[in-house]
Amino acid sequence: MFTGFTGPRDRADRADRARPPVRSRRTAWLSRGMVHVLVMVLVAEVVMAITTVGPLLKPAATHDFRPPPPVTKPFYPVTTRFYADPHNPAASWVRVHPRDRRAAAIRRRIADQPQAAWFTETNESLVQEQARGLVDVAAARRRLPVLVAYAIPQRDCAQYSSGGSGDAGVAYRRWIDAFTRGIGDRPALVVLEPDALAHLGCLRKRQRTERFAALTYAARTLQRRAPRTRVYYDAGNSGWQPARTMAARLRHAGIDRYGDGIAVNVSNFNATGDEVRYGLSVLAELRRPRLGVVVDTSRNGAGPTRKHQFCDPPGRRLGRDPTTATGIPGVDAFLWIKQPGQADGCAAGAGVFIPGYAYRLTGRAAPR
């Protein structure tokens, strides 16, 4: 066993060993020298390879890298139940046509499901009355209503759902004030102005500034005067604006101060997974972990068409039922924001209920 100590016997043993001839020592020296040279060459080649390839493997601008913000769990408990309005378009049609062969499927799969109520009426008194009636009944039944504020001027860039209040200044503020008074202190979930931020290309610079101010006012008013309401700004969908562009627009509209989250895929058909990824990407750009995402799953059961048609495309299906049990951190709910069966503006006027379209969404072939 080695002890670290060299005694006399060890020294004597080494002295008795024969020394190698001089030629052998020179040969060994040359061999060691060649090894050293080869090692140095190899080291040089490795350094050059690292220097050349290293930058290609590194992500660009690593000094600017910021870790993504933490994502909070969904805001609503999984026991939350949404309000199914008995006056939604499908339910109203079924009451009038109870003997129609399509009525049973439409009632069970669409009319009885919770879906958003859209507020488009420009009469302020009527809007206030309708909002109050909805939230009062929902609160009495211990259900959470979903309301869509859809009255901003040029809301659809003069396409299929053009209209809105008279202007983005005084008129729209009066409308929001009335809408907010109707909600009051009742619990509610509000989707704020679909298309308003994704559709900015049709507006002049001054009009864009007015729209940002109008949305900021709307969210601030709801936050302060309807304290039990959560406000989700519409953020388009994954096939529309890039996440960074949408995040910048949301900031201009005051989401970091007055919003509770974003709504994606409203009235569209994109797959839920794509919309979840897009929504979370927008939140990552905003860097506001408290914000959440709600996804419109009303008609995306078959996903989009090959060409991503957005106006009454054929062959679509109902998507996942409304629920807060998303199982995805940061995603607060899957909702039916678009009311299934309503036209987008191609098969009929925007908002018109088409029973044949509704029936096909249930996955049934039209009866002969």
Side-chain angles (χ1 to χ4, degrees), residues 4 19 35 39-40 52 62 83 93 117-118 134 136 184-185 194 202 205 249 260 276 288 299 313 338 344 351 365:
R19 293 184 179 182
V35 171
V39 170
M40 291 175 65
T52 304
T62 53
Y83 177 58
W93 181 86
W118 290 62
L134 182 73
D136 282 351
D185 64 352
C202 66
K205 184 177 180 180
R249 295 179 181 185
D260 297 292
V276 166
R288 291 292 186 274
R299 304 182 299 174
K338 175 71 175 183
D344 297 311

Side-chain angles (χ1 to χ4, degrees), residues 117-343:
W118 290 62
F119 289 80
T120 61
E121 172 62 55
T122 56
N123 184 301
E124 297 157 18
S125 298
L126 186 56
V127 164
Q128 180 174 335
E129 179 184 344
Q130 290 174 341
R132 178 176 290 119
L134 182 73
V135 298
D136 282 351
V137 173
R141 298 182 181 180
R142 297 186 178 182
R143 298 291 188 266
L144 180 67
V146 179
L147 296 77
V148 180
Y150 194 51
I152 204 162
Q154 293 183 278
R155 59 193 174 196
D156 194 26
C157 283
Q159 295 191 48
Y160 300 105
S161 299
S162 59
S165 60
D167 62 77
V170 175
Y172 183 71
R173 293 187 179 200
R174 285 202 305 259
W175 189 92
I176 281 293
D177 289 344
F179 178 70
T180 305
R181 285 195 299 270
I183 297 174
D185 64 352
R186 299 295 197 184
L189 187 159
V190 170
V191 176
L192 186 60
E193 298 296 346
D195 304 331
L197 289 175
H199 257 321
L200 283 181
C202 66
L203 302 179
R204 298 185 179 92
K205 184 177 180 180
R206 177 182 58 81
Q207 292 173 318
R208 293 187 182 193
T209 301
E210 291 174 348
R211 177 162 292 186
F212 288 137
L215 292 171
T216 300
Y217 179 84
R220 182 173 65 240
T221 301
L222 286 163
Q223 182 195 73
R224 294 177 178 177
R225 302 180 192 171
R228 300 176 70 186
T229 293
R230 283 181 65 82
V231 179
Y232 292 81
Y233 285 65
D234 181 73
N237 60 70
S238 60
W240 205 339
Q241 301 294 344
R244 181 169 296 181
T245 299
M246 183 52 63
R249 295 179 181 185
L250 288 162
R251 286 193 202 93
H252 283 303
I255 193 171
D256 51 348
R257 290 168 289 169
Y258 308 117
D260 297 292
I262 60 174
V264 295
N265 206 42
V266 174
S267 300
N268 216 285
F269 305 87
N270 295 328
T272 300
D274 292 339
E275 294 307 298
V276 166
R277 284 188 288 273
Y278 175 71
L280 294 179
S281 295
V282 174
L283 295 192
E285 292 288 343
L286 288 168
R287 304 191 68 79
R288 291 292 186 274
R290 66 178 182 81
L291 301 177
V293 181
V294 295
V295 182
D296 187 354
T297 59
S298 58
R299 304 182 299 174
N300 71 345
T305 63
R306 181 174 298 179
K307 296 184 178 180
H308 286 264
Q309 293 174 258
F310 70 93
C311 189
D312 300 321
R316 301 309 92 198
R317 296 287 183 268
L318 299 172
R320 184 171 178 176
D321 290 347
T323 181
T324 57
T326 68
I328 305 172
V331 179
D332 289 344
F334 298 135
L335 303 174
W336 283 13
I337 300 175
K338 175 71 175 183
Q339 296 173 322
Q342 281 191 332

Side-chain angles (χ1 to χ4, degrees), residues 6-17:
T6 303
R9 182 178 177 83
D10 296 322
R11 288 196 294 269
D13 290 342
R14 285 201 300 270
D16 292 337
R17 294 174 189 158

